[in-house]
Amino acid sequence: MVAAIASVASVAARRIRGGEGVATRGRVLLTLDPGALSHLARGRDVVLVTGTNGKTTTAHLLAAALGTLGPVAHNASGANMSDGAVAALATRRHAPRAVLEVDELHLARVADAVSPAVVVLLNLTRDQLDRGSEVAAVATSIRKSLRRHPRTLVVANRDDPVVVATVEGMPRVTWVAASAGWSGDASLCLRCGRQLVAKHEWSCPCGLSQPQADWELDGAAVRGAGVTTPLHLRLPGRFNLGNALAAMAAAHALGVPPGAAADAMADLESVAHRYATVRHGSHELHLLLAKNPAGWAETLPLLKDYPALLLVINAREADGRDTSWLWDVPFEQLPPRPTVASGDRAADVGLRLSYAAVGHQTVDDPLAGLELLPPGEVVAVANYTAFADLWRRLAVMSGR
Amino acid sequence: MSRESTVRIGLLLPDVLGTYSDRGNAVVLAQRLLRRGIDADVIMVTAGSSPPGGCDLYVIGGGEDAAQSFAAEWLLGHRDLRLALQTTRVLAVCAGLQVLGQWVGDGHGRRQPGLGILDLTTSPGPRRAVGEVLTRCAVPGVGLLTGFENHRGMTQLGPDAAPLAAVMHGVGNGSVDGSEGALTSTVVGTYMHGPVLARNPVLADHLLQGVVGGPLPALELPDQEGVRQLHLALAHRPFERLGPVRAAIDRRRSP
Ligand SMILES: [Zn+2]
């Protein structure tokens, strides 16, 4: 039954949206069979990856690591609600393992349907506040959902106090020291509301404190499972080392030796087009995604070596309608160089740059903006829908 | 204060009441002085620090429920700062506005005492107010204000409080009088994020002119007018019509 429905849905989705049909296909499947997610997950080891930042990258790293054991179902396109999960499971129906990145607010629904073997919780910081997703509310929703799955192993970031308060009390936790680059939402204890004491490690007068790490980074190596494993990622940035650490811990729980996981993850060059390099006319464009203050805190250090900068900011539903968060990003750190502010909210990001004394030009259309930059290397940073739009237009123009 | 000295802007509890990026207001205030040749410093008054005396202006922002309770108790626990807030110019946004009032109720009969600097009280409303806001400001010469509201608290102004503005689009205080925020000779209180002073530079200059004691020369920044036009249009139309709205803006921009 599920198989028949899956192929009907697949055809329907292709008709509806062409190549973009992943989520649509999932929606059609769920409409035809509301239990499709749990039927498709039955008998498989499913890992759910959630958190504010790093979901997509961590899921890709983990899928690569689990791929050393056999086929893996994975919502690689980043469609991260129930519909995307269903579509991924339906596509690789015989893969014994699945890696699903899941939106924080949809974890409860997906977890209840698939009874995950492992849940990876990376970090919880502000993002899209207009959809009622203040950090405390998201944490409560995740906490409730985890409590319904006491047999699930939780791989959790011990460096994020919000994550620790969310996970504490769960019977099976593996703690990873995946770092927390931005602490703007973690000054008060989520459990008691008092101010956290942050010295070498963080703690609270109520007793909540930083757990011992089971997995941690040691320079360019990973210590965990009793061994030290060299790790050479092609993906840039300190935060991707943290993502890889979490992926290695989760892969190990499903039987992948750390060395094999590290080798498999090393080959990854780009993730859903992020970190990709694209030639466009006279420009070589390096693509980065950053969509909230925590993501930007990790991204800013990556920008310094590029001679020109293109910013693309939208505020559609999937981005959050409010652009206030731009003021939590220390754009003052950007060095002077040819810079363009673009996207639906070009003016909002442009004004932020004005107050940060970063000279720039403002053009709504990012590709028109690109033409204002000198030939050669350009780094482009876009938020969620801006990134998707930019990629689509670059891909269409180069005939990919 | 004299023009030779540095204007000190106290940003209160940016680590606790920073959820909606209202710290940007302090950046806007300082930059609008510096670019007119007046020295300005932003002093970050975090929860672990002891508040400095003698700031010329205080800025306090919005946060979640636990952060608001923490902030109210913290402010009540610092007597000198509490007294300073009664006489110094203050911009208070969202939770910051609420804690300057008499009390904030939690809907279960519990009332968190505020500082009592503004004659207003706040209780949870039936649903969260989220979206673009457009108001007409009560301060002469300021005109229309735009911002983004995101709050559940509904604020009732008492007889000794005056509104900052009248709501044209959005919810604001959520009371039947259609008011938004609160205004005294020294305090500007509002629910508007954005941050509000980046979106409404005339309101920023209103606060600053009070501090420097006289008119300030005009100051135009790149994209200031673009932001204003964008948000005036957004407040009037649903988000989904952004395309046509943008077209309308572009038409207005072209000669
Ligand atoms: Zn505590």
Side-chain angles (χ1 to χ4, degrees), chain A residues 126 129-137 183-190 193-195 293 315-317 321-328 332 341 343-358 360-362 364, chain B residues 14-16 18-25 27-29 31-32 35 46-48 63-68 70 128 130 132 148 150 193-195 197-199 201 219 221-224 226-227 230-231 234 239-240 242 246 250 253:
Chain A
R126 69 189 62 163
L129 291 167
D130 62 312
R131 60 172 193 166
S133 58
E134 284 182 334
V135 172
S183 60
D185 290 306
S187 63
L188 299 185
C189 176
L190 196 69
R194 274 177 283 189
Q195 198 187 356
R316 298 178 195 172
E317 188 171 0
R321 301 296 196 182
D322 183 14
T323 52
S324 298
W325 62 270
L326 290 166
W327 291 80
D328 280 332
E332 286 81 0
D344 294 351
R345 298 301 186 91
D348 283 341
V349 70
L351 185 62
R352 173 70 189 95
L353 293 178
S354 295
Y355 275 106
V358 176
H360 64 279
Q361 291 173 279
T362 308
D364 291 352
Chain B
D15 48 341
V16 175
T19 305
Y20 298 97
S21 317
D22 300 310
R23 72 172 59 212
N25 289 316
V27 174
V28 170
L29 289 165
Q31 286 293 321
R32 294 190 74 79
R35 283 160 197 248
T46 52
E64 304 183 27
D65 294 350
Q68 185 191 47
F70 179 93
R128 226 176 153 75
V130 183
E132 293 283 335
F148 194 95
N150 190 347
H193 306 292
L197 297 186
R199 290 231 204 150
L219 177 69
L221 289 173
D223 296 311
Q224 182 70 73
V227 162
L230 171 68
H231 290 285
L234 279 175
F239 290 112
E240 280 64 27
L242 193 59
R246 295 209 61 80
D250 292 341
R253 269 188 205 151

Side-chain angles (χ1 to χ4, degrees), chain A residues 5-378:
Chain A
I5 289 172
S7 63
V8 170
S10 170
V11 171
R14 242 175 276 137
R15 287 205 185 122
I16 295 165
R17 268 201 186 169
E20 255 196 302
V22 179
T24 312
R25 182 177 176 210
R27 269 196 297 279
V28 174
L29 263 172
L30 283 168
T31 308
L32 297 174
D33 174 11
L37 190 49
S38 78
H39 298 156
L40 287 164
R42 195 162 297 151
R44 313 205 227 188
D45 283 334
V46 180
V47 185
L48 304 182
V49 180
T50 195
T52 311
N53 287 312
K55 289 186 285 288
T56 303
T57 303
T58 304
H60 276 257
L61 289 165
L62 180 54
L66 291 179
T68 60
L69 301 178
V72 179
H74 172 208
N75 53 347
S77 72
N80 65 12
M81 300 179 213
S82 299
D83 46 14
V86 162
L89 293 175
T91 303
R92 307 203 84 176
R93 213 163 307 129
H94 303 294
R97 293 167 203 87
V99 177
L100 302 174
E101 74 156 278
V102 183
D103 178 88
E104 306 86 277
L105 290 175
H106 289 80
L107 179 72
R109 252 184 92 186
V110 176
D112 287 351
V114 306
S115 299
V118 182
V119 169
V120 179
L121 179 53
L122 296 165
N123 47 62
L124 292 171
T125 61
R126 69 189 62 163
D127 186 36
Q128 296 183 47
L129 291 167
D130 62 312
R131 60 172 193 166
S133 58
E134 284 182 334
V135 172
V138 176
T140 302
S141 141
I142 292 178
R143 185 171 173 78
K144 279 190 190 153
S145 114
L146 291 178
R147 294 219 148 191
R148 291 197 293 272
H149 302 278
R151 297 202 351 232
T152 296
L153 173 72
V154 184
V155 173
N157 181 2
R158 66 141 208 168
D159 294 332
D160 183 338
V162 181
V163 165
V164 175
T166 303
V167 168
E168 61 118 16
M170 282 289 293
R172 300 185 62 216
V173 183
T174 291
W175 296 107
V176 295
S179 90
W182 193 76
S183 60
D185 290 306
S187 63
L188 299 185
C189 176
L190 196 69
R191 189 162 85 177
C192 73
R194 274 177 283 189
Q195 198 187 356
L196 291 174
V197 183
K199 292 210 175 100
H200 180 55
E201 308 230 307
W202 60 261
S203 65
C204 178
C206 77
L208 193 75
S209 65
Q210 195 163 13
Q212 281 291 316
D214 301 304
W215 292 75
E216 61 190 343
L217 294 166
D218 177 8
V222 165
R223 269 207 302 264
V227 291
T228 298
T229 311
L231 178 64
H232 302 287
L233 289 185
R234 292 168 88 168
L235 298 179
R238 194 175 52 92
F239 56 103
N240 279 332
L241 287 173
N243 292 336
L245 185 70
M248 274 174 86
H252 183 259
L254 294 186
V256 183
D263 288 347
M265 298 191 303
D267 291 336
L268 214 59
E269 242 180 352
S270 70
V271 169
H273 317 308
R274 302 163 195 185
Y275 313 109
T277 301
V278 183
R279 278 216 74 87
H280 181 78
S282 61
H283 294 104
E284 189 172 286
L285 202 54
H286 301 270
L287 300 174
L288 298 176
L289 176 126
K291 55 191 173 69
N292 52 38
W296 264 100
E298 305 286 11
T299 302
L300 272 174
L302 301 180
L303 306 184
K304 58 182 190 305
D305 298 331
Y306 297 99
L309 172 63
L310 174 68
L311 300 173
V312 201
I313 302 296
N314 288 352
R316 298 178 195 172
E317 188 171 0
D319 305 304
R321 301 296 196 182
D322 183 14
T323 52
S324 298
W325 62 270
L326 290 166
W327 291 80
D328 280 332
V329 181
F331 287 113
E332 286 81 0
Q333 294 173 9
L334 290 174
R337 70 185 138 191
T339 298
V340 164
S342 68
D344 294 351
R345 298 301 186 91
D348 283 341
V349 70
L351 185 62
R352 173 70 189 95
L353 293 178
S354 295
Y355 275 106
V358 176
H360 64 279
Q361 291 173 279
T362 308
V363 188
D364 291 352
D365 182 334
L367 291 185
L370 185 60
E371 295 313 313
L372 300 175
L373 294 170
E377 281 196 293
V378 174

